[in-house]
């Protein structure tokens, strides 16, 4: 017997200059994956300076659909 339904997390990596910009870009990607009316939960979110680019940050956010 195979399991066809199980929780699935989505990890997205985005870049931006501000926390709001990063949040919006990540949210758009997650809603594209899960569907536009999905309620999402953030499992983790980490940001770091993007090397040579001043005032730019790279963030990895892990989402899951709220059950």
């Amino acid at each position: 017997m195979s399991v066809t339904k199980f929780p699935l997390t989505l990890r997205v990596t985005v870049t931006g200059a501000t926390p709001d910009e990063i949040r919006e870009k990540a949210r758009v990607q997650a809603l594209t994956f899960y569907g536009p009316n999905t309620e999402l939960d953030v499992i983790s979110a980490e940001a770091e300076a993007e090397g040579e680019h001043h005032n730019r940050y790279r963030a990895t956010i892990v989402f899951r659909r709220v059950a």
Side-chain angles (χ1 to χ4, degrees), residues 25-43:
K25 286 181 175 181
R27 186 186 70 80
V28 167
Q29 285 190 32
L31 291 175
T32 298
F33 180 78
Y34 286 114
N37 298 319
T38 303
E39 187 177 353
L40 300 171
D41 194 15
V42 174
I43 304 302

Side-chain angles (χ1 to χ4, degrees), residues 5-38:
K5 283 192 157 192
F6 51 88
L8 186 63
T9 60
L10 173 68
R11 179 183 311 267
V12 300
T13 302
V14 296
T15 59
T18 67
D20 288 339
E21 181 182 359
I22 288 169
R23 285 184 192 103
E24 182 59 20
K25 286 181 175 181
R27 186 186 70 80
V28 167
Q29 285 190 32
L31 291 175
T32 298
F33 180 78
Y34 286 114
N37 298 319
T38 303

Side-chain angles (χ1 to χ4, degrees), residues 54-67:
H54 299 291
N55 298 325
R56 298 291 294 176
Y57 301 89
R58 178 178 42 248
T60 301
I61 299 93
V62 179
F63 291 95
R64 127 176 107 200
R65 179 183 297 184
V66 172

